[in-house]
């Protein structure tokens, strides 16, 4: 499916209108310390400075001042986060050098569905009702289970306080490529009931980087987001919120198959409902009942000029998750425990029938202090699965407060990513090229069928003594946090190792010369690097921020082969073949060793105006092997580094 690209050269007009008794804070240059609170990393409210985990916060003010419209646009401006394309044409978050499939995306603490090739389309999330975005880096499966192997991005939407008079606002933005963005919010609250309505409509004609072509780089599309909420204060000890989110998108879909241009429509429909209720048992003990259900549908079709439909694909995913958590606090100690279950079903093209996954889990976490300086966080989660081995995910983190300005942080944890339904049950044959991809659970039966039909030349030996195992990671972060008056500095050294990496490999060759592929636990990869973030506010209204990441990401099997002298390259001048050394290995595809950002803003209180400049840099990276030795080495062709 075509995904939204960037919109350049935008000329934005904003219309803001408030009614009721809404109050606007006065502009001021008085320095104010921002107490940023994080709930994602611990499931409890914590200040960033005291949290023993590497965390980034993107506030609503930062989002508004950036002038962006969709979530992917604000994410790409953060240190250590890259929006990179996948093989399906979409973009996902690369975090600490790990792919988008390993990053858990949450909206108000609830998982977002719709991964069709491991990547979620973040452009379907509008930013106009976001209160803040919390990014926890490092394995977080001890709280969130599968897909939190690299970290968690939690999009927290705005909440209206009770006893709020009727008020609302409108926002309209127009930009190049016939782009229109309209958002409205309506809120009202009494003593025990709060109501909120949010709506967003977005439309663009897209753009093309190749003039006069049949296909555009981004095809025209529009989408609509609705999100109503109801807050209830049923008693002094029982309160909560019901919310739902509805998203619908339609986009022009074009493709060229066998030189024939085809046109059609691509549709997405997402719906979810969430209930979160707090039951205070005593002054320092409470239960939280968390109920969540969501459905994500996508379908697309292509037709010929005579309107004869030639291709149709569908995707229908359901996800349910009830959870009960217990929170207790005594002195400086906090204890969290919880039990829950997940049920996921998927019916899609290239599946023989609807398939499902189900698991139960229990989690526990303790946060405490030793004296005035040491803060300790220890937690675990156990997931009982039925289609693959169950998983333990422990985590331990420490924060040492050196003095009132400086603290040290270290965190170690294990994460996992369960095999998804595509890797288990996929049954796909490319009609144009002729290759096939079969899920682990269906490969044996399908190979037997192909062999009986005389379509196979030979079958490679298959080791199916064990089921497909979840990918496992070990993550280590060590860093520091310094804050004094108007200056803040954060640094973090990280290391990740993933074993039992799930990838495809050939299992048979067909009579047409094409291979049949399936999924197996094949390799190990590792990443390590350094992140630095700093910002300083001058008293004359200037604010300066800078961030930098150094990254190394490699395949352990390639490193081993290089050490044994088994990888070769050919000199492009002399055409002589020679063995590559470990220093010649660049690393994994689509990774840059250096990324950086510089941000500057200037406030003019008299005009109630701010001027912003942002510069983003990415060093060179490789997207494919160009010299035929199946690795990315320094003799390959690279995408050169660039600055935006």
């Amino acid at each position: 499916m075509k995904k939204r690209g960037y919109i350049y050269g935008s000329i934005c007009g904003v219309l803001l209108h408030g009614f009721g008794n809404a109050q606007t804070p006065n502009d001021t240059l008085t320095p104010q310390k921002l107490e940023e609170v994080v709930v994602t990393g611990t499931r409890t409210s914590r200040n960033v400075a005291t949290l023993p985990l590497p965390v980034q916060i993107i506030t609503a003010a930062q989002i508004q001042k950036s002038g962006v419209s969709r979530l992917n646009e604000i994410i790409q401006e953060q240190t250590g986060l890259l929006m990179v394309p996948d093989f399906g044409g979409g973009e996902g978050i690369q975090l600490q050098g790990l792919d988008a499939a390993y990053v858990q995306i949450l909206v108000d603490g609830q998982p977002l569905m719709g991964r069709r090739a491991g990547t979620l389309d973040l452009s379907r999330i509008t930013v106009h009702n976001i209160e803040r975005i919390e990014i926890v880096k490092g394995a977080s499966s001890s709280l969130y289970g599968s897909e939190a192997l690299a970290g968690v991005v939690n999009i927290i939407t705005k909440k209206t306080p009770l006893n709020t008079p009727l008020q609302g606002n409108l926002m309209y933005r127009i930009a190049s490529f016939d782009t229109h963005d309209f958002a409205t919010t309506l809120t009202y609250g009494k003593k025990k009931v709060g109501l909120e309505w949010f709506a967003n409509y977005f439309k663009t004609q897209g753009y093309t980087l190749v003039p006069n072509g049949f296909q555009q780089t981004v095809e025209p599309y529009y989408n609509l987001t609705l999100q109503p909420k109801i807050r209830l204060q049923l008693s002094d000890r029982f309160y909560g919120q019901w919310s739902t989110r509805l998203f619908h998108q339609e986009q022009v879909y074009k493709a060229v198959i066998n030189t024939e241009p085809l046109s059609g429509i691509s549709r997405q429909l997402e719906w979810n409902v969430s209930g979160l209720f707090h039951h205070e048992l005593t002054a320092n003990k409470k239960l939280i009942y968390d109920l969540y259900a969501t459905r994500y549908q996508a379908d697309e079709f292509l037709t010929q000029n005579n309107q004869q439909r030639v291709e149709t694909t569908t995707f229908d995913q359901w996800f349910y998750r009830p959870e009960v958590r217990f929170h207790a606090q005594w002195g400086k100690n906090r204890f969290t425990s919880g039990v829950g279950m997940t049920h996921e079903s998927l019916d899609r093209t290239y599946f023989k029938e609807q398939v499902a996954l189900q698991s139960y889990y229990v989690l526990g976490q303790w946060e405490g202090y030793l004296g005035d300086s040491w803060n300790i966080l220890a937690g675990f989660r156990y997931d009982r699965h039925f289609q693959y081995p169950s998983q333990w995910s422990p985590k331990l983190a420490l924060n040492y407060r050196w003095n009132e300005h400086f603290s040290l942080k270290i965190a170690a944890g294990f994460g996992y990513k369960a095999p998804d339904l595509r890797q288990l049950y996929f049954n796909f044959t490319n009609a144009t090229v002729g290759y096939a991809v079969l899920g682990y659970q269906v490969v044996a039966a399908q190979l037997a069928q192909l062999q009986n039909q005389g379509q196979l030349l030979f079958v490679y030996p298959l080791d199916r003594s064990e089921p497909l195992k979840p990918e496992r990671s070990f993550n280590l972060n060590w860093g520091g946090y310094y804050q004094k008056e108007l200056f803040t500095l954060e640094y973090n050294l990280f290391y990740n190792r993933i074993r039992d990496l799930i990838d495809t490999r050939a299992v048979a060759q067909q009579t047409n010369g094409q291979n049949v592929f399936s999924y197996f636990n094949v390799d190990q990869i590792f990443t390590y690097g350094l992140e630095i973030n700093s910002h300083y506010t001058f008293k004359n209204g200037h604010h300066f921020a800078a961030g930098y990441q150094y990254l190394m990401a490699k395949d352990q099997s390639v490193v081993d082969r290089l050490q044994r002298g088994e990888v070769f390259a050919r000199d492009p001048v002399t055409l002589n073949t020679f063995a590559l050394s470990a220093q010649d290995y660049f690393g994994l595809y689509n990774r840059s060793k250096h990324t950086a950002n510089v941000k500057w803003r200037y406030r003019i209180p008299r005009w109630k105006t701010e001027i912003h400049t942002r510069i983003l840099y990415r060093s060179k990276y490789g997207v494919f092997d160009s010299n035929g030795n199946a690795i990315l080495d320094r003799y390959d062709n690279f995408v050169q580094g660039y600055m935006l």
Side-chain angles (χ1 to χ4, degrees), residues 87-98:
F87 292 106
E91 285 188 324
I93 299 176
Q94 187 186 103
L95 176 58
Q96 292 190 348
L98 299 179

Side-chain angles (χ1 to χ4, degrees), residues 176-396:
S176 53
F177 309 114
D178 193 23
T179 300
H180 303 268
D181 187 14
F182 174 79
T184 180
T185 303
L186 183 67
T187 58
Y188 176 70
K190 285 191 172 183
K191 185 176 181 181
K192 294 187 176 182
V193 179
L195 303 175
E196 180 178 332
W197 170 267
F198 171 80
N200 174 248
Y201 175 79
F202 186 91
K203 170 186 174 293
T204 180
Q205 289 300 313
Y207 65 91
T208 182
L209 300 178
V210 184
N212 304 319
F214 172 68
Q215 296 171 274
Q216 291 191 178
T217 305
V218 172
E219 300 291 352
Y221 72 93
Y222 75 89
N223 58 48
L224 176 67
T225 302
L226 302 176
Q227 188 170 13
K229 296 181 182 179
I230 301 176
R231 300 187 69 191
L232 302 171
Q233 183 80 39
L234 300 180
S235 70
D236 292 339
R237 295 184 178 273
F238 195 86
Y239 56 93
Q241 173 180 285
W242 277 104
S243 66
T244 187
R245 179 175 178 271
L246 178 67
F247 172 83
H248 173 73
Q249 176 171 294
E250 286 198 11
Q251 183 172 26
V252 173
Y253 179 38
K254 293 182 179 180
V256 178
I257 300 179
N258 295 328
T259 71
E260 182 182 8
L262 304 173
S263 300
I265 296 293
S266 172
R267 296 186 181 93
Q268 296 182 60
L269 178 62
E270 178 192 3
W271 164 88
N272 65 55
V273 60
S274 173
L276 190 67
F277 295 93
H278 296 248
H279 184 191
E280 295 187 355
L281 305 175
T282 65
N284 52 12
K285 296 183 180 68
K286 69 176 178 180
L287 287 170
I288 297 179
Y289 310 99
D290 189 347
L291 306 174
Y292 180 65
T294 183
R295 185 184 189 184
Y296 175 85
Q297 296 173 280
D299 64 86
E300 54 194 28
F301 65 86
L302 290 169
T303 61
Q304 297 172 320
N305 289 333
N306 60 5
Q307 302 304 310
Q308 179 69 31
R309 187 170 296 194
V310 297
E311 181 180 275
T312 301
T313 60
T314 61
F315 186 99
D316 190 356
Q317 182 180 24
W318 283 89
F319 180 84
Y320 308 93
R321 190 199 65 187
E323 181 181 278
V324 178
R325 298 192 298 273
F326 172 74
H327 294 264
Q329 181 171 351
W330 61 98
K332 294 184 177 181
N333 297 278
R334 296 182 180 182
F335 177 73
T336 301
S337 62
V339 295
M341 65 87 66
T342 63
H343 179 85
E344 176 188 352
S345 66
L346 178 60
D347 188 4
R348 66 174 295 184
T349 307
Y350 312 121
F351 277 23
K352 185 177 180 180
E353 58 187 3
Q354 185 184 66
V355 294
L357 295 176
Q358 187 167 307
S359 67
Y360 299 88
Y361 61 88
V362 58
L363 60 89
Q365 181 176 270
W366 169 72
E367 304 171 64
Y369 289 83
L370 297 178
D372 296 329
S373 300
W374 288 95
N375 174 222
I376 303 175
L377 185 151
F380 77 94
R381 174 168 165 148
Y382 176 72
D383 289 83
R384 172 71 171 91
H385 297 285
F386 297 93
Q387 286 84 0
Y388 40 84
S390 299
Q391 298 295 311
W392 279 98
S393 303
K395 186 158 193 171
L396 178 65

